[in-house]
């Protein structure tokens, strides 16, 4: 049925186009990608800085480890380092880095250091130890290193006494050279 003339109804439901016959809506254009050169540059710079920091940390660790590792590269070097740590610095922990862990007889050298400390207390002096050239001699189980220790005491800048003693140190190769025995010669 037709609408009466002059009616304001323009369409009737039967005249509508079914939804399946409608043309699909036009796809929306892809939004234009905004240019972000600043973000890209900052990302690259942050990545480079992260890599540089990581490399710097690794290099720093390796250099620190090499600088602080005890030098046990040769028998005479380890004896020199042991004497410096034990008699000069009087640092048992540092000296232990150059000595055998389980076996070994370093009692004679411990006795010498105890004597030095006792003289300092008894006579109010400063007792120092020094040594001359270190001579290496190969033996069956490792090597021996001999040297002459000089033990001197002083008070108020004046030398009070000085003596020399020949010493022999037996060293073995175990994860680097280590001092295992010390004995006074003669």
């Amino acid at each position: 049925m037709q609408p009466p003339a002059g009616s304001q109804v323009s369409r009737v439901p039967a005249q509508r186009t079914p939804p399946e016959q409608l043309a699909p809506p036009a796809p929306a254009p892809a939004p234009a990608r905004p240019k972000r050169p600043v973000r890209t540059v900052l990302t690259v710079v942050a990545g480079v800085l992260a890599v540089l920091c990581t490399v710097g940390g690794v290099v720093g660790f390796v250099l620190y480890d090499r600088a602080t590792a005890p030098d046990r590269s040769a028998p005479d070097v380890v004896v020199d380092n042991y004497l410096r740590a034990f008699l000069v610095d009087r640092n048992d922990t540092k000296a232990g880095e150059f000595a055998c862990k389980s076996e070994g007889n370093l009692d004679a050298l411990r006795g010498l250091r105890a004597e030095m400390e006792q003289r300092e207390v008894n006579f109010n002096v400063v007792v120092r130890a020094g040594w001359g050239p270190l001579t290496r001699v190969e033996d069956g189980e490792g090597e021996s290193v001999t040297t002459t220790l000089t033990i001197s005491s002083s008070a108020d800048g004046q030398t009070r006494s000085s003596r020399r003693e020949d010493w022999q140190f037996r060293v073995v190769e175990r994860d680097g050279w280590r001092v295992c025995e010390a004995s006074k010669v003669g």
Side-chain angles (χ1 to χ4, degrees):
M1 175 166 174
Q2 292 283 336
S7 165
Q8 294 192 2
V9 175
S10 61
R11 290 190 190 174
V12 289
Q15 293 178 344
R16 289 192 186 163
T17 307
E20 59 272 353
Q21 292 179 357
L22 290 175
R33 186 171 171 195
K35 294 185 177 182
R36 296 186 177 140
V38 173
R39 180 181 286 175
T40 303
V41 169
L42 288 177
T43 302
V44 170
V45 169
V48 169
L49 284 175
V51 168
L52 287 176
C53 287
T54 302
V55 169
V58 169
V59 168
F61 173 78
V62 169
L63 292 177
Y64 175 79
D65 185 53
R66 286 184 183 170
T68 59
D71 185 3
R72 295 187 294 253
S73 59
D76 52 347
V77 172
V78 79
V79 169
D80 182 69
N81 287 332
Y82 178 76
L83 290 173
R84 186 171 326 288
F86 192 73
L87 293 179
V88 176
D89 300 336
R90 298 182 187 178
N91 183 338
D92 291 335
T93 304
K94 185 73 174 166
E97 294 176 0
F98 303 104
C100 291
K101 300 294 180 206
S102 57
E103 88 279 350
N105 185 2
L106 300 170
D107 292 339
L109 200 62
R110 286 188 193 99
L112 175 65
R113 190 171 91 176
E115 176 192 334
M116 291 169 57
E117 292 169 343
Q118 190 62 44
R119 285 180 182 265
E120 287 179 336
V121 171
N122 291 345
F123 302 110
N124 196 25
V125 294
V126 175
V127 179
R128 300 194 191 282
W131 50 95
L134 300 164
T135 306
R136 294 170 53 175
V137 177
E138 289 188 34
D139 61 23
E141 296 178 13
E143 290 194 25
S144 293
V145 177
T146 58
T147 189
T148 301
L149 295 179
T150 303
I151 297 94
S152 60
S153 64
S154 63
D156 301 323
Q158 299 291 324
T159 301
R160 299 290 184 202
S161 68
S162 180
R163 75 175 193 256
R164 293 176 180 241
E165 298 177 353
D166 291 327
W167 282 75
Q168 181 176 18
F169 301 89
R170 187 177 65 84
V171 293
V172 295
E173 170 72 42
R174 289 197 189 114
D175 189 30
W177 289 95
R178 295 182 185 273
V179 178
C180 289
E181 190 174 321
S183 59
K184 187 174 174 181
V185 178

